[in-house]
Amino acid sequence: MITSIWTGPGEENPAAKELRRQVFQEELQIPAAEEWETQDAYAYHLVLLMNDTPVATGRITYGGVGTAKLSRICVLKKYRRQGIGDGLVKILDYKASQMGMRYSQVDADEELLPFYRRLGYAPD
């Protein structure tokens, strides 16, 4: 069963930070960036849990007038290719629309463009 944890601006979300550390730092060898942490204070975070185990996360920040920026999106390696990432992005996008945002944008590495295109996102 998949459940979720939402936290808003100013709230701590240790599960989101731990998922990002595992995926971005350990797996992908991307050093932690200070801007990740400063933007966290202003973000809405979503963590998806499978049978009470955190498996995926993403956040929503302000991307400009009427625009949400979806970022720090990741799924633990052993849970990929099961539709969890698709669902995560769709939930983040829906939440942004409920917050009054008319548009959503994502920052993505080149190899992730096909994933985001499949969900309806187009490069600038």
Side-chain angles (χ1 to χ4, degrees), residues 18-87:
E18 178 58 19
L19 285 164
R20 292 188 335 218
R21 185 191 66 72
Q22 288 179 42
V23 173
F24 295 117
Q25 292 175 265
E26 287 182 16
E27 180 188 336
L28 301 175
Q29 299 294 302
I30 299 171
E34 191 174 308
E35 110 266 349
W36 294 5
E37 301 305 321
T38 57
Q39 291 179 15
D40 275 354
Y42 306 100
Y44 288 87
H45 294 270
L46 172 62
V47 173
L48 296 182
L49 302 99
M50 183 172 283
N51 300 320
D52 297 325
T53 300
V55 299
T57 190
R59 72 179 182 193
I60 303 169
T61 55
Y62 182 71
V65 176
T67 303
K69 182 176 180 181
L70 311 183
S71 61
R72 307 278 54 101
I73 295 168
C74 62
V75 178
L76 291 178
K77 192 171 192 168
K78 79 180 226 177
Y79 295 96
R80 292 180 195 151
R81 302 200 135 335
Q82 299 177 39
I84 295 170
D86 291 16

Side-chain angles (χ1 to χ4, degrees), residues 103-117:
Y103 307 99
S104 293
Q105 64 184 31
V106 294
D107 285 332
D109 292 334
E110 190 72 29
E111 67 266 11
L112 293 174
L113 290 179
F115 168 77
Y116 288 109
R117 280 190 183 111

